[in-house]
Amino acid sequence: MTEQPADAEPTGKNIAGEAPVAEPEAVTDDTTVHDDDVELERTIGLVGGLAIGIGTMIGAGIFVFPGLAAANAGLAATLSFAIGGLIALLVALPTSELATAMPRSGGGYYFISRGMGTAYGAIVGLGLWLGLMFASAFYLVGLGHYASAVFAELGIGLPFSPVIGIGLLFGAALTALSIGGTENTAKIQNVVVGILLVVLTGFLSYGVLDAVGVFGSGTVPEQFFSRGYFPVLTTAALVFTSYLGFAQVATVAGEIKQPGRNLPLAMVGSVLIVTVFYVVTIFVATSAFGAERLGQFGETAMVEVARDFLGLPGAVAILGAGLLATFSSANASILSASRAVYALSRDALLPRKASEINLRYGTPHVALLAAGGPILALVATGQVELLAEVASFLHLIMYGLMCVALIVLRRRSPEWYAPSYRVPGYPVVPAVGALASFGLIAFMQPASIGIGIVVMLVSYLWYRYYAGNVTLKGDV
Amino acid sequence: MTDRPSILVPIRVLEGESIPEGVPDLLANGHVVLLGYHVIPEQTATGQAQMQFEDRATERLDEYQAMFEEAGATVERRLVFTHDGQKTIDRMTTEHDCLAALVPNATGSVEDVLVAVRGTVGVDRIAHVVAGLFGMTDASVTLYHVAEPDETDEDVGTLLDGIVNRLKDLGMDASRIETRVERDQAAFDAIVDAADAFDVVVMGESDPSLATFVFGMPADQVADRFLGPVLVVQREPSEGTE
């Protein structure tokens, strides 16, 4: 069993007189140890970690984006997804190193606040919390589209579009469900992800064989860059939301068994797995219909692709999978958002009351409601692309800063910084990861960037007002 | 043999589970590993529960620790917040090398101890627990074995005599040890029926066979039906886990 020293003590008090909770004394494979023999058991294994990562990512990328992406970039959307995957990988590697050095709840927020100071931490932490809300809202709108398609499939004509209504309904239901304390949420997530991967593997194998001509129809008709080169990058910026899941693994880093081994494997592994699935999916989808028609199908284009290949059963299977996937993504994001609130209130950046647990169910009802309410408001806007981009923006800022934090920590090399996994190709990999993360932002819509900047500004002002005296940065 | 056997006492400290009457005296000659644990649902971070409940739990554990120490036991303690109580209990057992875990139920003064013996496996650990806890008391110990149909009287005799000798080696008075053999009965029902006449039951942890997987561990089932405390002697830690 390995034991490693924990980080330096945070100091200071916020406006309500609350000080950050003391850091643990040591971290082992099975526990986080605090003084007086108080331990926090680590109970999530590698499979659980992978399920969180893959489960969060796979919903958006495969089920909501193919139509939108193909409309923007044509067949080259495959390249957009590959670029997104590459950037995710460049960030996942440094994140892994940071996570093995600091396997604590809070993920990116935690690493940045300890590496670069409270102000950066506050911006990222509050930004992450809000970013997760935008992401959840995006998933829920996607879920609404899939549920509407189910109605259409059943031949039930509705006089209005039920997309937003269904999104709101599921948003409220998920919040209630997580407050009510469903047992075995992690096990359900594992099973959902397993089913998804099986359905997709079958579907994609068939699709690839069809696309390359084994079954005769043989259609890879298009010119690759049918929309030019620039849209490849803007599309990469749009679809990057598909890759937001790997960092969610780090938000539960405090509960992962053998963190030194399982955290890097879960993060890097889930990025690699979903990248392959995404790229193949877009390839199959665009070869089936051509970008033009695929784009017209919008958010549920995958259903039409499945119908084209396998008829009604295919469409039904993909509808079901799409519902499951968007549901699990939204669920995972809401839970991560409440973990973010916990990390912030532990460090006195939010009132301690925010992470209070309700005695009856043992769940953090304040944090869950604080996430659930705004999510519903965001869902009501119904702006799929805007929601996705704002979520991406806020996460990309965090990813970029994590890479910077890694470089800062390596250079200062404080005593407590002893990662068991070290990123290969230092300093090139984290530097490129940071540049790529910040660079991708440039290709977003101005509206998304504007909203993102406002969120960051508000976060900073909140920190100055509420917790200006709190110091979280570890000493040298 | 003077070392005290390590006994794990797991308590769901925030859910009203407490140390029942008689238990501190029962373990007066043991080394108590007092585990206060709190199981929280997966959507809550373990640290969140710690932030809120640590003080309250610590206060209770202080009380319990004092009760055991007053009775004469040595005490070591842990407070754990977990999503998975069984994992925590298993880890504690290994880390502190506990010979047995206690399923705490109230008891009066301990006069009769029922020791359910299944086979030769784990006999040495059972003997250590029994001799360590009850060797210095006046309690009488009954070794109880439910024989399999193909087991001869001779086999049973060898088994039980072996344990009696082992207990004598560990300093127990042979006159206080009785043996009882049961035939033609399902082991589980036999133990539960017999247990009624005793104050405490000591039994081995079952192998995780399919039956125990489906119906739960028999030791737990005995503990459910028997009103007194049950000491579940843990399996030898498997090779290579240290």
Side-chain angles (χ1 to χ4, degrees):
Chain A
M1 182 176 312
T2 56
E3 245 186 64
Q4 63 188 66
D7 333 352
E9 281 302 305
T11 56
K13 282 198 166 90
N14 68 15
I15 199 167
E18 293 162 343
V21 169
E23 295 292 322
E25 281 184 346
V27 167
T28 71
D29 279 355
D30 288 305
T31 55
T32 308
V33 185
H34 287 258
D35 49 5
D36 290 338
D37 300 327
V38 178
E39 298 175 359
L40 305 178
E41 189 89 37
R42 298 177 175 274
T43 50
I44 302 175
L46 178 58
V47 174
L50 279 170
I52 292 170
I54 297 174
T56 317
M57 286 193 260
I58 216 151
I62 290 194
F63 293 101
V64 184
F65 277 132
L68 305 177
N72 286 346
L75 187 56
T78 44
L79 190 61
S80 305
F81 271 92
I83 291 171
L86 183 66
I87 296 177
L89 189 64
L90 285 173
V91 178
L93 291 168
T95 309
S96 298
E97 172 171 330
L98 290 167
T100 64
M102 295 172 262
R104 307 283 318 281
S105 284
Y109 154 72
Y110 192 85
F111 312 145
I112 291 166
S113 62
R114 269 40 177 195
M116 299 174 63
T118 320
Y120 287 102
I123 291 173
V124 166
L126 294 164
L128 169 68
W129 175 35
L130 294 163
L132 285 166
M133 287 183 203
F134 277 92
S136 309
F138 159 66
Y139 301 138
L140 286 167
V141 176
L143 179 69
H145 280 288
Y146 268 85
S148 317
V150 171
F151 284 117
E153 202 65 39
L154 294 173
I156 302 173
L158 295 171
F160 55 91
S161 164
V163 172
I164 291 174
I166 292 171
L168 290 173
L169 195 69
F170 272 96
L174 274 178
T175 310
L177 202 68
S178 34
I179 291 177
T182 41
E183 286 294 316
N184 302 323
T185 42
K187 279 188 201 105
I188 294 170
Q189 186 86 346
N190 293 359
V191 172
V192 166
V193 170
I195 293 174
L196 270 178
L197 291 184
V198 170
V199 170
L200 282 172
T201 307
F203 168 69
L204 292 178
S205 312
Y206 187 92
V208 168
L209 291 178
D210 187 278
V212 299
V214 175
F215 300 143
S217 57
T219 45
V220 191
E222 290 192 47
Q223 196 194 342
F224 195 71
F225 292 104
S226 58
R227 300 283 193 284
Y229 300 106
F230 188 69
V232 174
L233 292 174
T234 53
T235 306
L238 169 67
V239 302
F240 195 72
T241 320
S242 322
Y243 291 99
L244 300 189
F246 69 89
Q248 253 80 308
V249 181
T251 59
V252 296
E255 292 153 64
I256 301 251
K257 287 188 270 193
Q258 291 182 276
R261 167 180 171 270
N262 288 340
L263 277 168
L265 281 178
M267 285 198 265
V268 174
S270 55
V271 167
L272 291 178
I273 290 170
V274 299
T275 305
V276 170
F277 272 95
Y278 288 166
V279 171
V280 176
T281 302
I282 305 298
F283 174 73
V284 167
T286 40
S287 359
F289 281 122
E292 195 69 45
R293 277 192 68 200
L294 194 64
Q296 286 161 6
F297 292 131
E299 282 83 358
T300 52
M302 285 306 287
V303 181
E304 303 309 321
V305 175
R307 197 201 309 280
D308 184 55
F309 284 138
L310 302 164
L312 188 63
V316 170
I318 289 298
L319 268 179
L323 280 176
L324 276 182
T326 43
F327 186 84
S328 90
S329 294
N331 186 40
S333 300
I334 291 174
L335 293 182
S336 298
S338 93
R339 290 286 205 285
V341 171
Y342 156 59
L344 287 165
S345 77
R346 177 186 61 199
D347 289 341
L349 293 180
L350 282 177
R352 190 121 317 155
K353 182 113 180 84
S355 64
E356 195 168 272
I357 298 171
N358 104 19
L359 259 181
R360 174 130 171 246
Y361 301 116
T363 50
H365 56 296
V366 182
L368 287 168
L369 284 175
I375 286 171
L376 293 186
L378 292 173
V379 169
T381 67
Q383 299 289 324
V384 175
E385 299 196 16
L386 190 70
L387 291 172
E389 282 205 351
V390 175
S392 289
F393 175 94
L394 293 168
H395 279 83
L396 280 168
I397 295 283
M398 175 175 89
Y399 293 165
L401 286 176
M402 281 200 292
C403 294
V404 175
L406 175 92
I407 296 173
V408 169
L409 280 168
R410 281 271 195 113
R411 291 180 69 102
R412 282 196 304 145
S413 186
E415 203 182 319
W416 53 264
Y417 187 72
S420 54
Y421 166 86
R422 288 185 162 257
V423 63
Y426 174 87
V428 178
V429 168
V432 174
L435 288 177
S437 301
F438 293 137
L440 203 52
I441 292 173
F443 297 98
M444 289 182 169
Q445 301 168 27
S448 320
I449 298 178
I451 296 176
I453 289 175
V454 169
V455 168
M456 286 171 63
L457 204 63
V458 170
S459 302
Y460 179 73
L461 291 175
W462 169 262
Y463 151 69
R464 294 293 298 179
Y465 159 73
Y466 189 76
N469 288 330
V470 173
T471 308
L472 301 170
K473 190 173 168 177
D475 291 331
V476 181
Chain B
M1 186 82 188
T2 52
D3 6 344
R4 296 159 168 268
S6 293
I7 311 290
L8 183 73
V9 182
I11 300 285
R12 285 181 171 242
V13 67
L14 290 165
E15 287 166 38
E17 249 186 31
S18 60
I19 306 292
E21 210 174 323
V23 166
D25 291 323
L26 172 70
L27 300 181
N29 297 318
H31 175 67
V32 173
V33 178
L34 179 59
L35 165 65
Y37 68 109
H38 185 56
V39 181
I40 45 177
E42 285 151 345
Q43 56 266 58
T44 312
T46 44
Q48 225 161 331
Q50 180 215 0
M51 205 157 77
Q52 198 170 337
F53 299 129
E54 181 180 344
D55 291 344
R56 201 187 310 177
T58 304
E59 226 167 85
R60 298 243 176 102
L61 286 181
D62 282 343
E63 241 171 76
Y64 301 153
Q65 178 169 11
M67 284 165 70
F68 280 112
E69 278 170 350
E70 212 170 295
T74 53
V75 181
E76 213 179 328
R77 70 178 222 200
R78 286 283 186 282
L79 172 60
V80 183
F81 294 91
T82 179
H83 293 303
D84 180 352
Q86 194 56 50
K87 181 189 179 254
T88 302
I89 290 175
D90 292 346
R91 181 173 60 83
M92 282 296 149
T93 310
T94 324
E95 272 179 25
H96 296 275
D97 202 12
C98 295
L99 286 174
L102 179 77
V103 182
N105 283 322
T107 176
S109 65
V110 175
E111 279 154 23
D112 303 300
V113 182
L114 180 74
V115 181
V117 183
R118 291 186 70 211
T120 48
V121 182
V123 154
D124 201 50
R125 293 167 73 88
I126 291 181
H128 265 113
V129 170
V130 172
L133 288 182
F134 308 111
M136 317 295 272
T137 68
D138 299 328
S140 66
V141 171
T142 305
L143 302 179
Y144 186 79
H145 181 72
V146 182
E148 301 283 331
D150 56 350
E151 223 173 342
T152 65
D153 289 345
E154 222 168 291
D155 294 338
V156 176
T158 319
L159 172 69
L160 293 181
D161 287 347
I163 302 174
V164 172
N165 287 333
R166 196 79 191 83
L167 288 173
K168 275 197 273 193
D169 291 346
L170 293 168
M172 273 195 77
D173 186 351
S175 66
R176 280 165 42 210
I177 307 174
E178 281 173 48
T179 59
R180 239 169 93 182
V181 180
E182 210 69 63
R183 278 192 180 278
D184 306 325
Q185 233 182 325
F188 171 68
D189 292 325
I191 292 172
V192 173
D193 289 346
D196 274 344
F198 291 84
D199 300 316
V200 181
V201 172
V202 179
M203 64 185 293
E205 192 182 12
S206 317
D207 308 317
S209 70
L210 185 65
T212 58
F213 186 73
V214 174
F215 301 112
M217 299 298 238
D220 288 342
Q221 291 175 318
V222 171
D224 280 346
R225 303 222 335 231
F226 172 59
L227 295 176
V230 177
L231 281 157
V232 184
V233 176
Q234 304 293 304
R235 271 193 300 274
E236 203 81 43
S238 47
E239 300 287 319
T241 52
E242 292 295 307

